[in-house]
Amino acid sequence: MYDFKVANTVATACIGDRLPRFASSHDDIDTAYTLTLDDDPIVCKLIEEFLGVKNFSFSSAQDLLRSSELFRPTGIFIDVHLAKNECGLDVIPQVRKCWPDAPIIVITSDDSNDHIGQALAAGANDFILKPFGASELIARLSSRREELKDRNSQWIVSYGDLELDLQKKILSSPLGQVYISSKEADIFAYLVRQSGIVVEKGIIKRHVWGSVKVSDNALERKIFEVRKTVRTLSSKVEIKTVYGKGLVLRLNSFACDQELLEDKEVLLGVSSLWEGRGDTTY
Amino acid sequence: MTQLIDRESIASIKKIGEIRNKDLLGEMLHIFNAQFNQCLGELNNSIQVADSDNIKYLAHKMKGSCKSIGAEALANKCLEMENLDLADELSYKKNMEALYTQVEKTYESTKEELEIASGAVLAE
């Protein structure tokens, strides 16, 4: 059985002072792994050894795509030339669809601009030329991961225990996730930005639909859907109607406020700081 | 003139192996040797029937493996094979056979160099 911990420790050790780290502090050491689509076992082995994490290799695009439900890789490497009559570039859009958060790095032994340009246009994040060294491989994967993380974080709006992915239009909480329409997502995101403030319905209309005329009925239907989804996913967050004034997104009780605050304190390590201060007398 | 092996690539693999306390280069060469011999066999069969598509595919695959392991001169020979166009079957076969012999020869000398570099004897 592959020992991820040992592999990652070694990876960190081999990276040392001269090479950048592959696994960032956000990565779970036990679950960091990569996927490689290449029919050359040498390349697959080199990637695994250089990165120091398990690398699952596939020689056919079909097999890789079939496994999309099973894996959440930290990076995907695709060779341009696969088996006879199969080109790695053709599969990039499908791979991107399966793993939108994982950087795709194309491997090639030809330094032709055509291949590199096509790879990037198809949705790859970077390319690497053979022969490649450990430091280049780690550096490219790490920086592309950071870029994707930054880009994706711009699409995330969170409030309480709810998180909205504006790109995928998914509202989620520890209880589950629900796909919502584009307009519902815009309404929720706007309410999050104005959370705690009563917002007039007319302002929501203007913000979400712009100059397009929308009936009150249509707006009410959308708000009804958003409210229903919020109720399904969270008992801590509510959209409250303030009659005659508008809507407000808020945490629905003081107890929930406290609970969420405590969760955040644990995450931030604030609790331990306060424990440490217990001995101090003023 | 192209050097037989790229010492920088070899050193990079060796260094990672040293840090990980294993003979990584030896392992890589073992895989390379097995893979290359298998491809040579397939290549020979494809040359006999002048299957230019398969020859191109195999030559490209061999070139990639060679580059990854630092077998520079051998990678160039494979590239020559990959780039050889099928003008007429007879001359193609003749030129390809000549290239194949060169690839075999270069492979033998590369193997020796790699053995020295890794300090290991490759399995036949």
Side-chain angles (χ1 to χ4, degrees):
Chain A
M1 171 122 180
Y2 194 87
D3 191 338
F4 288 102
K5 266 185 186 150
V6 169
N8 213 286
T9 312
V10 175
T12 310
C14 74
I15 291 159
D17 294 327
R18 282 156 293 176
L19 302 173
R21 281 184 60 132
F22 157 61
S24 75
S25 56
H26 304 294
D27 287 318
D28 183 350
I29 287 171
D30 290 333
T31 54
Y33 55 82
T34 54
L35 303 180
T36 298
L37 178 59
D38 195 333
D39 59 350
D40 184 355
I42 294 170
V43 170
C44 300
K45 174 88 174 154
L46 277 179
I47 290 173
E48 178 163 301
E49 297 291 346
F50 283 175
L51 295 177
V53 294
K54 181 71 186 160
N55 176 42
F56 295 96
S57 59
F58 298 83
S59 50
S60 96
Q62 218 177 8
D63 289 344
L64 173 73
L65 294 170
R66 216 179 284 146
S67 70
S68 63
E69 298 287 315
L70 301 172
F71 295 108
R72 279 195 65 205
T74 43
I76 301 162
F77 297 92
I78 298 178
D79 186 25
V80 173
H81 293 274
L82 297 171
K84 222 166 89 178
N85 303 326
E86 204 178 358
C87 178
L89 299 177
D90 296 338
V91 82
I92 293 173
Q94 287 158 279
V95 173
R96 167 58 63 232
K97 214 171 169 183
C98 291
W99 293 285
D101 304 329
I104 299 172
I105 297 176
V106 166
I107 308 165
T108 177
S109 52
D110 300 321
D111 50 1
S112 130
N113 283 335
D114 286 353
H115 280 157
I116 294 166
Q118 281 171 27
L120 297 175
N125 300 92
D126 209 342
F127 63 90
I128 194 160
L129 288 172
K130 291 178 201 171
F132 52 83
S135 53
E136 187 187 0
L137 188 72
I138 294 165
R140 286 191 187 269
L141 183 57
S142 299
S143 39
R144 296 298 86 83
R145 267 183 68 73
E146 287 308 313
E147 268 175 23
L148 270 181
K149 218 178 274 174
D150 285 350
R151 202 186 303 166
N152 290 341
S153 67
Q154 292 169 4
W155 295 99
I156 303 295
V157 173
S158 53
Y159 185 75
D161 56 352
L162 290 172
E163 194 173 89
L164 171 67
D165 186 326
L166 281 165
Q167 215 169 11
K168 296 177 194 161
K169 315 286 181 223
I170 294 174
L171 189 60
S172 59
S173 78
L175 295 177
Q177 56 180 39
V178 176
Y179 287 91
I180 58 177
S181 75
S182 173
K183 292 295 177 210
E184 287 159 24
D186 288 346
I187 291 172
F188 182 80
Y190 185 68
L191 289 175
V192 169
R193 282 192 277 272
Q194 306 296 325
S195 57
I197 299 169
V198 180
V199 186
E200 280 178 42
K201 287 181 183 173
I203 293 176
I204 297 175
K205 250 197 235 176
R206 256 204 315 278
H207 181 81
V208 175
W209 281 274
S211 58
V212 177
K213 280 200 182 337
V214 176
S215 68
D216 288 347
N217 210 13
L219 174 67
E220 289 297 341
R221 271 206 306 274
K222 289 291 175 199
I223 291 170
F224 172 79
E225 289 299 330
V226 176
R227 186 177 270 138
K228 197 171 82 180
T229 311
V230 167
R231 266 192 207 135
T232 313
L233 292 172
S234 174
S235 57
K236 296 171 181 175
V237 179
E238 67 174 357
I239 298 172
K240 189 158 174 62
T241 301
V242 181
Y243 289 103
K245 291 192 174 169
L247 298 173
V248 59
L249 181 77
R250 59 173 212 179
L251 296 169
N252 68 7
S253 73
F254 178 72
C256 283
D257 279 1
Q258 282 298 104
E259 205 179 308
L260 284 166
L261 198 62
E262 277 162 21
D263 283 351
K264 276 177 187 158
E265 279 179 356
V266 170
L267 281 173
L268 295 166
V270 174
S271 314
S272 55
L273 283 175
W274 279 108
E275 276 165 29
R277 285 179 189 182
D279 300 333
T280 316
T281 47
Y282 294 96
Chain B
M1 194 185 151
T2 313
Q3 51 185 351
L4 206 53
I5 60 170
D6 171 23
R7 307 247 163 227
E8 214 176 296
S9 301
I10 303 283
S12 168
I13 299 171
K14 268 189 116 170
K15 196 171 112 191
I16 300 293
E18 276 165 23
I19 294 164
R20 302 195 62 172
N21 205 19
K22 67 199 275 194
D23 179 17
L24 182 59
L25 183 58
E27 280 180 37
M28 297 308 303
L29 294 182
H30 187 77
I31 300 171
F32 170 72
N33 197 39
Q35 155 115 334
F36 203 86
N37 276 319
Q38 192 194 330
C39 286
L40 272 179
E42 285 178 41
L43 191 62
N44 195 21
N45 294 337
S46 298
I47 292 172
Q48 297 318 309
V49 292
D51 180 352
S52 64
D53 283 349
N54 207 36
I55 292 170
K56 272 186 195 297
Y57 161 66
L58 288 166
H60 182 86
K61 188 174 172 179
M62 289 156 83
K63 182 187 76 183
S65 303
C66 291
K67 281 195 171 183
S68 300
I69 208 82
E72 213 167 275
L74 195 52
N76 284 344
K77 284 286 160 209
C78 294
L79 177 67
E80 279 182 50
M81 276 191 149
E82 190 186 351
N83 288 342
L84 193 68
D85 280 326
L86 177 68
D88 70 282
E89 201 172 298
L90 201 67
S91 65
Y92 179 76
K93 220 170 130 179
K94 203 176 147 194
N95 289 334
M96 199 50 90
E97 275 168 351
L99 267 175
Y100 181 84
T101 311
Q102 288 176 34
V103 166
E104 270 188 324
K105 270 189 191 163
T106 315
Y107 174 51
E108 284 310 314
S109 8
T110 303
K111 214 161 77 165
E112 276 173 33
E113 283 277 315
L114 289 171
E115 277 173 19
I116 296 164
S118 75
V121 177
L122 295 178
E124 290 298 319

